[in-house]
Amino acid sequence: MTQDRPVQGRPVGSAAPTSTARAERHLAEAAPAPPPEPGDPDYLGDIVVAPQVVAKLAAQAVYEHPRAGSAAPRMFGSVVPGAGHLGIRSSDLTSRPKVSAWIDASVVYIDMSISVRWAEPLGDVTEWIRNTVEDRVKALTGLTVARTRISVTDLVVDGAS
């Protein structure tokens, strides 16, 4: 058996410093600089995205899909009859749907009510819409979409309500 001997004047088992000046400098360079404060001359301001902007981006994504569009207004789970005569929109594949968005810090929650063309696979249409909305909101605002809730409230036959 070999005996444990001190190495370079240090006893075995003692805690040796593990970081060097070079390692500390490297860590300091890798760490992001703190953002400038409002009083700092390099401070350029904050960008605040309103929930209405996110809702319009999501509605535009649905509008661009040829098999989905706006949904008829509903009350107690049923389509409101005669809504078109009252100036309330009806189901239409050529108009934007009703979308609402909530922003919590940098996370977005989106709810939308849409109509889908009859005989189209709902899963495919809603998956395309969900992916497009999430990608577009992330690309244009930098916000992360945590949830996109899609309610298909109407099936439209040949663009009629």
Side-chain angles (χ1 to χ4, degrees):
M1 281 195 175
T2 61
Q3 284 186 338
D4 292 333
R5 287 185 274 162
V7 178
Q8 297 176 355
R10 268 186 287 149
V12 175
S14 68
T18 57
S19 64
T20 63
R22 181 178 174 193
E24 289 174 0
R25 187 176 65 239
H26 178 68
L27 290 174
E29 291 172 358
E37 296 296 321
D40 189 6
D42 292 332
Y43 180 71
L44 300 176
D46 294 327
I47 296 176
V48 179
V49 179
Q52 296 87 353
V53 172
V54 175
K56 287 186 180 191
L57 289 172
Q60 180 65 26
V62 175
Y63 176 71
E64 292 172 2
H65 196 290
R67 301 179 290 180
S70 68
R74 295 192 164 274
M75 183 177 291
F76 303 116
S78 301
V79 175
V80 177
H85 299 293
L86 300 173
I88 303 172
R89 67 181 180 193
S90 60
S91 295
D92 186 9
L93 296 177
T94 60
S95 62
R96 289 169 183 80
K98 179 181 178 187
V99 178
S100 58
W102 294 272
I103 300 175
D104 183 20
S106 64
V107 179
V108 179
Y109 303 92
I110 299 172
D111 289 345
M112 61 179 69
S113 296
I114 66 171
S115 61
V116 176
R117 185 180 309 278
W118 169 251
E120 296 293 336
L122 294 178
D124 293 345
V125 173
T126 56
E127 179 181 357
W128 186 91
I129 290 171
R130 184 173 285 111
N131 292 337
T132 303
V133 165
E134 290 174 1
D135 292 344
R136 184 140 330 142
V137 168
K138 178 69 173 172
L140 295 176
T141 66
L143 300 172
T144 303
V145 179
R147 182 197 72 221
T148 304
R149 183 181 302 160
I150 301 173
S151 300
V152 178
T153 60
D154 201 8
L155 298 174
V156 179
V157 179
D158 296 327
S161 59

